[in-house]
Amino acid sequence: MIVGRFPESRPRRLRRNEQIRRLVRETHLTLDDLIYPLFVIPGENRVEEVPSMPGVYRYSVDRLTDAVKEVRDLGIPAVILFGIPEHKDEVGSDTWSDEGIIQRATRRIKEEVPDILVITDVCFCEYTSHGHCGVLRDGEVDNDATLENLKKQVVSHARAGADMVAPSGMMDGMVRAIRSALDSAGFSHIPIMSYSAKFASAFYGPFREAAQSAPAFGDRRSYQMDPANRREALKEVLMDIEEGADIVMVKPALAYLDVISDVKQNTLVPVCAYNVSGEYALVKAGGRLGWVDEERVMIEMLLSIKRAGADMIITYFAKDVAKLINGGKI
Ligand code: PBG
């Protein structure tokens, strides 16, 4: 590759003013990149801010649609739903009940805001009394027993009107199990966005507070990935694609930009990155303390995720960025 040499080449020529910088800019944040996460809680007329996530709220079903309309009106194409059920039990049976929290929320959104894509998070940790992502046997998550419950969960989500399902439990074989369940129930048109490379991360802390989903004992390291592993992430992703994943995800995003880049370069499917709760909370906290410029840090982080190769980003910043984009500020 030929690169110029100084003094013939002066890279600063292309940085002299904003107009020229716009012309040569390689990466852009657009509304099309964004997915906004929403937490749904039981009860009525409830809108509660998550203490460790300023600007992020949990909504009861009756207050949810206004929140979704705001997201739609900002031009964001999709939301992903997380539910906190009225009752938790050993197996997380709310997840496959047609009257479950996610099913009710999905139906309501599809009735009142049909022009937004509803993605449902498919897992058990918010719904089980022990907070693990599946069925327990002798203190461990039983992989194959959990697959059976996952099948019931996705079919029920699809019946409620979910446009896409996003399994996040890191069970082996979950994509194949879900694909076959959806296909046999007449939902072969519903895509699967798999949390393929999900790491056992401390960056999920604020989410677990918001979703009341911290494990009651132990941790998730027997199913979520070791943060030290890069090649294994690609293996997980390739296995998921073979099982039928339409979109693959890397999560968290910022400490795993190398993984996002690997996945982008070695696959032909769209890549999603999850800019998780802890990544959001740190920026908000730094901004509140006056230690960093929150807005600029946010843009820089999201750009880095895109530059690494993400085609879409699930982010609690989605509304903030959309406002900047709509105001012509970025
Ligand atoms: C599991 C799930 C988690 C997140 C999304 N789906 C939490 C976990 O594995 O404990 C975390 C998202 C975030 O931190 O923003 N259902």
Side-chain angles (χ1 to χ4, degrees):
M1 202 181 308
I2 298 172
V3 289
R5 235 180 8 186
F6 181 81
E8 292 80 6
S9 180
R10 289 180 181 269
R12 287 182 56 191
R13 286 184 197 123
L14 299 183
R15 299 178 197 140
R16 282 192 62 221
N17 56 48
E18 181 56 14
Q19 292 71 32
I20 201 152
R21 287 194 293 270
R22 279 173 60 198
L23 288 176
V24 301
R25 190 159 289 143
E26 298 175 32
T27 313
H28 297 90
L29 292 174
T30 76
L31 296 172
D32 303 338
D33 301 326
L34 303 171
I35 300 171
Y36 188 63
L38 282 167
F39 297 102
V40 196
I41 51 178
E44 267 170 47
N45 200 23
R46 286 175 73 194
V47 178
E48 301 169 357
E49 194 170 29
V50 179
S52 52
M53 301 174 75
V56 172
Y57 298 83
R58 313 189 312 166
Y59 304 89
S60 54
V61 173
D62 56 325
R63 297 291 297 272
L64 185 65
T65 42
D66 281 344
V68 176
K69 280 181 191 151
E70 186 198 353
V71 176
R72 189 262 326 263
D73 292 344
L74 284 166
I76 296 166
V79 292
I80 181 163
L81 301 182
F82 297 94
I84 296 112
E86 191 129 16
H87 300 290
K88 302 190 186 219
D89 59 29
E90 272 290 299
V91 289
S93 59
D94 192 86
T95 57
W96 63 78
S97 156
D98 286 342
E99 289 310 311
I101 185 95
I102 288 297
Q103 287 81 350
R104 287 189 289 121
T106 303
R107 279 197 297 270
R108 188 78 169 250
I109 296 172
K110 287 280 105 183
E111 262 163 42
E112 294 181 26
V113 202
D115 51 345
I116 195 155
L117 194 86
V118 174
I119 307 168
T120 55
D121 181 79
V122 173
C123 198
F124 295 100
C125 54
E126 300 107 281
Y127 305 87
T128 49
S129 42
H130 44 75
H132 279 285
C133 303
V135 182
L136 284 188
R137 197 170 32 184
D138 304 328
E140 278 192 53
V141 176
D142 181 327
N143 194 87
D144 298 7
T146 302
L147 296 183
E148 293 309 308
N149 291 349
L150 278 171
K151 292 182 190 173
K152 295 187 270 182
Q153 180 176 173
V154 287
V155 171
S156 174
H157 285 188
R159 252 196 318 260
D163 297 297
M164 176 149 78
V165 292
S168 64
M170 288 296 282
M171 293 301 120
D172 294 336
M174 68 182 184
V175 175
R176 169 168 286 130
I178 286 172
R179 185 70 274 156
S180 74
L182 287 172
D183 290 357
S184 7
F187 296 110
S188 58
H189 56 289
I190 298 293
I192 299 173
M193 176 164 80
S194 179
Y195 288 67
S196 304
K198 177 175 179 181
F199 291 85
S201 172
F203 285 99
Y204 306 149
F207 174 95
R208 291 181 185 173
E209 183 189 23
Q212 292 160 10
S213 63
F217 65 91
D219 53 45
R220 303 208 206 291
R221 282 184 287 187
S222 75
Y223 38 103
Q224 298 181 351
M225 281 188 57
D226 183 339
N229 292 359
R230 179 171 179 174
R231 295 167 70 227
E232 188 191 357
L234 196 54
K235 170 177 147 184
E236 283 278 7
V237 163
L238 295 174
M239 284 177 74
D240 275 4
I241 294 171
E242 205 160 294
E243 291 179 25
D246 299 279
I247 299 175
V248 293
M249 195 197 299
V250 176
K251 176 185 171 187
L254 292 166
Y256 301 88
L257 295 176
D258 54 336
V259 176
I260 296 174
S261 170
D262 285 354
V263 172
K264 182 55 171 251
Q265 287 175 46
N266 290 288
T267 64
L268 293 171
V269 297
V271 180
C272 178
Y274 199 140
N275 177 215
V276 301
S277 58
E279 298 171 330
Y280 176 86
L282 287 178
V283 177
K284 289 284 170 185
R288 288 203 161 184
L289 284 165
W291 289 356
V292 292
D293 179 333
E294 181 184 316
E295 196 170 288
R296 290 187 54 208
V297 168
M298 164 185 84
I299 294 168
E300 201 172 322
M301 284 180 164
L302 293 172
L303 272 177
S304 78
I305 297 169
K306 276 209 82 180
R307 208 181 56 235
D311 296 290
M312 64 195 88
I313 308 173
I314 301 176
T315 178
Y316 304 95
F317 289 120
K319 291 196 290 185
D320 297 344
V321 201
K323 284 175 196 159
L324 293 178
I325 294 171
N326 292 330
K329 303 243 173 58
I330 48 172

